[in-house]
Amino acid sequence: MNIIRVHTVPDGAAPARLGDYAIGLFPELPSRNAAKKAIKRGEVLVDGVPAGTGRWVGPGARVELIEGQKKQPAPYRLALRVHYEDEH
């Protein structure tokens, strides 16, 4: 598990749901959709534990963005018919 970025919720910040708080928090998650997907994949930790979008974060909470698993795309199988073939 490689930690990419760490953020500590500052004192005086109002409690907020992680799904709302994480929007734009890290440059890698610039939109609501990106933040939501990363949280669902378990790439956002709160105090070292994967959290859901409904988890409340408040002052002093440590929010970490970790490197996600890189999945290989499924191979695309395409049958090709040869119409012409020569010796080259």
Side-chain angles (χ1 to χ4, degrees):
M1 169 174 74
N2 293 331
I3 297 174
I4 298 173
R5 298 202 190 274
V6 177
H7 171 79
T8 302
V9 180
D11 291 337
R17 288 177 175 246
L18 180 60
D20 296 328
Y21 189 79
I23 300 167
L25 182 62
F26 303 114
E28 295 83 0
L29 307 176
S31 67
R32 176 181 299 276
N33 196 26
K36 185 176 177 182
K37 285 181 179 181
I39 292 168
K40 286 189 175 188
R41 286 190 305 258
E43 297 171 2
V44 178
L45 310 178
V46 176
D47 297 326
V49 179
T53 56
R55 165 86 185 262
W56 287 84
V57 294
R62 180 181 164 108
V63 182
E64 300 171 339
L65 178 64
I66 61 171
E67 187 174 349
Q69 298 288 332
K70 302 289 185 204
K71 291 196 287 186
Q72 294 291 330
Y76 183 75
R77 306 217 186 271
L78 178 64
L80 296 175
R81 294 187 336 207
V82 177
H83 291 282
Y84 175 79
E85 186 175 352
D86 63 10
E87 65 276 356
H88 298 288

